[in-house]
Amino acid sequence: MADEEYLNKKYLIVDDFSDVRSAIRSILRSLEVTQVDQARDGNDAIAQMTSRRYDVVLCDYNLGPGKDGQQVLEEARHNLLLGVDSIFIMITAENTRDMVMSAVEYAPDSYLSKPFTKDILKRRLDKLFERKADLRKVNKALMAKDYSAAIAELDDLIARNPKNLPDLLKLKSEVCLTATRYDDAIVIFEQVLAEHETSWARWGMGKALYWKRNHAQAMEMFKQLIVNDPNFVAAYDWLAKTQAELKQFEEAEQTLHAAVKISPRALKRQQQLGDLALSNGHPEQAETAFTKAVTLAKHSVLNHPSLFAGLARSKSSNSKHIEALKIIGEITKVFPGQPEAVFYKATATAAVKQNQGDTAAAADAMQNAEKAIAQCGETTRSKLGLEMAKTYVQIGEQEKATLLLQHAIANNHDDEEFLMELVQVCREANFEYDAETAIREIQQRVVKTNNTGVYLIKQGKFDEAIKLLNEAAEEMPGNKTINLNAAKAMIIRMEKQGASMDDILTVRRYVDRVQALALQDWRLHEVTSRLKNMTPTN
Amino acid sequence: MDFSDILASSIHDIKNSLGSILNTLDALINNPDNQLADSQQVSLLQHETQRANSTLIQLLNLYKLGNAQLTARVTKQHLGDFFEDVIADNQALCRALALDLTYVCDAQTTGYFDADLIHGLLNSAIGNAGRYARTKIQLSAAKTQNYLVIRLEDDGVGFPESLLQWFTSQQQPEQIMVSTGGSSDPARTHLGLYFAARVAELHHTPDGRKGYIQLRNDYSLPGGCFELWLP
């Protein structure tokens, strides 16, 4: 039975040495595996994974020049080249524990330290196949974003008290956090921590507290975790985030600085450090971080024009305007045909020109930025709006900046992380705008609209509720809560009074917006499944 | 490029070589038509290659210890499962040496430790026991006085009395190193013991309990018994 498992599966071996590839292939052959392909570097691996779906990928971390194994994994996950049942095993020479946590978002299914024997590989594969089979129903529910179903399946498995109980508890806590069921997650963390100090549980506890807006306690969790387990890099990321939330910006920068010392290869962290250093008035540190980020991003699917813009801005802050402009020139070469790249090129150019004292050129560049932002989709507009507002402040166009910020707040009134970024942008630009008061006022207005809508629905005044929420959704197309509630109000009316094709299409448009903004949003599942049950009546 | 990068890249190269030696040897042993190799010699080669690999990992970890970069990431482990992993890693070697490698523990035994670190440590210890065992090596685990005790025993002649006495007199892992003096024979430098003691020590609990190691003879098998006490 086990042998059949091996027999029918497709394997891909990724290593830059042909000797190593053939050694692994002969191990697989001795396990009766017949379908084995090989890739000699990262690009080759991605090409093969794009044209064929593999069940098992065995990938060396170290692949010579070009992409490394982690970047192959990132790209594969990012472009959905791996199915839920696929297994990605990272083969490493070094002890891998430090890598494990530095790549939380894109973790492989397993690490395998080399050299490994046939016995080890077989045992590892057996375990992974078994685990995937165990979690088949859970993964299916997760794919459908049906978190309640996933949690129910996990509870079923947990009740059997299996050998992999700790893994199941960990997975359940992660699902609870995604579904914003923080208190359920906290129950798990407390249970695990009561038995023994465990890093993932302490980390999770900190995250749950952070999301419950209990920042001071969250900070204590992350600090304690760093004392217990100084190599747990994700703890530094979260500590920095919490410190920034508590306006301890200098401390946040120091925390990230410590993190990049331990794990310098994480792209996002270097970018965050660069942004923070720039807004803290440390352009030299910012330049170092962005230089690193741009280098790391070279072969990465996560490469982004904002990295080049950040590097150019920091160079310009260090009075290296010519170098800055040279970097800006690269943006559209590295990202050809992307409106977002044109946008970042324009805003970065405006910032550098302003620093050089050429206000006319700066204003010209901003016009290009306006044109480019109109070409970008609704989903990126809030983020780009911040960049734009920041640059307007820099070139002295305060009013334009204020309008952009108000719009951005209205579209993201309940997105804490985004609003924190917005406050930081104002600080970075030295903008006299009272972002926090504005956030409070706009939040109140949006919440009031929302609550009135909900109240009207309860009163059975569907038409009034829908009119109010539809108008709000058109005014704030990027606001997930408003769009979801507008969709819900229409669904309730349809459930009670029958559906028209027009209404179904309007709801679909709201749902599409939210999906484009946040595919993972936990509220989506309910709306989409209710929408599926609608059939138009005349 | 700093030294840790150089070290990492060298280790990567060496490991590739060791991997290919091991796999070639494995193929030689399993090939019924092979007339070339004296199986005893091939086993010896395999044994030594694995020892070199364990020593390499130990070297890297010692380097990290020196830079205070080595920490134990403790997670809950199912001992039966963990032992099966360790055995899978050492099965080829023990088969080649005609040694029986087994484990004994209750099906429900669990413990908290860094599986990678302890696995590496047991690999070295098994490699060492393989030189002294007559017919078998046995792993076991038990809960004693709020500690998890992992034992590795063999049925050889046991540790020499002088080593046991010397070891008992050492209070701190540092002393294990200091007292090795100028000896260059790897079996006598006690580097492995020093490393094991340091790794055990990395396992500690908020109430101040720390891990440690102990040596004894005649526990359940007649030979040497290496004990790892983890809080």
Side-chain angles (χ1 to χ4, degrees), chain A residues 233 259-267 269-270 292-293 296, chain B residues 5:
Chain A
V233 216
V260 299
K261 266 194 179 160
I262 300 168
S263 167
R265 292 188 61 80
L267 177 58
R269 187 175 303 126
Q270 294 284 0
K292 194 97 196 181
L296 286 172
Chain B
D5 291 331

Side-chain angles (χ1 to χ4, degrees), chain A residues 419-475:
Chain A
L419 294 175
M420 190 186 82
E421 215 183 317
L422 186 138
V423 172
Q424 246 172 289
V425 163
C426 292
R427 197 178 66 94
E428 181 182 339
N430 248 330
F431 190 18
E432 290 296 320
Y433 178 62
D434 186 355
E436 279 161 75
T437 309
I439 289 172
R440 245 195 330 275
E441 285 169 7
I442 296 170
Q443 266 176 345
Q444 277 166 5
R445 193 161 54 79
V446 179
V447 169
K448 197 176 155 210
T449 308
N450 197 34
N451 289 350
T452 312
V454 174
Y455 174 78
L456 289 170
I457 294 172
K458 278 192 189 145
Q459 298 286 306
K461 297 177 181 164
F462 300 119
D463 297 343
E464 271 179 72
I466 288 166
K467 184 169 179 291
L468 178 78
L469 290 168
N470 281 5
E471 277 169 15
E474 290 320 312
E475 192 194 324

Side-chain angles (χ1 to χ4, degrees), chain B residues 25-87:
Chain B
L25 289 173
D26 208 37
L28 271 181
I29 293 171
N30 292 320
N31 179 1
D33 304 330
N34 162 38
Q35 303 291 322
L36 284 169
D38 168 349
S39 70
Q40 204 56 40
Q41 284 177 320
V42 176
S43 305
L44 187 71
L45 282 173
Q46 214 174 16
H47 183 177
E48 290 304 324
T49 313
Q50 248 166 16
R51 254 173 53 86
N53 185 46
S54 300
T55 313
L56 200 61
I57 296 173
Q58 192 176 294
L59 175 70
L60 180 70
N61 281 331
L62 282 167
Y63 170 78
K64 286 189 182 164
L65 260 177
N67 288 289
Q69 287 169 352
L70 194 68
T71 50
R73 177 141 315 137
V74 171
T75 50
K76 192 173 188 176
Q77 300 294 328
H78 190 271
L79 265 299
D81 231 32
F82 172 72
F83 283 151
E84 277 169 27
D85 273 343
V86 175
I87 287 176

Side-chain angles (χ1 to χ4, degrees), chain B residues 96-162:
Chain B
L97 296 171
L99 291 171
D100 196 16
L101 177 61
T102 54
Y103 77 91
V104 194
C105 78
D106 279 347
Q108 290 309 317
T109 309
T110 56
Y112 284 89
F113 53 89
D114 184 320
D116 277 337
L117 277 178
I118 302 298
H119 188 138
L121 200 154
L122 289 177
N123 280 350
S124 311
I126 291 171
N128 199 44
R131 306 163 116 206
Y132 303 102
R134 246 176 1 96
T135 62
K136 62 167 121 179
I137 299 176
Q138 179 186 290
L139 285 159
S140 64
K143 288 268 175 77
T144 312
Q145 299 153 17
N146 219 3
Y147 277 80
L148 171 74
V149 192
I150 296 178
R151 292 190 173 85
L152 178 77
E153 301 174 66
D154 64 65
D155 61 351
V157 292
F159 296 112
E161 198 52 42
S162 59

Side-chain angles (χ1 to χ4, degrees), chain A residues 402-414:
Chain A
T402 308
L403 270 174
L404 279 165
L405 290 176
Q406 282 169 347
H407 198 68
I409 297 170
N411 273 322
N412 300 278
H413 81 284
D414 53 1

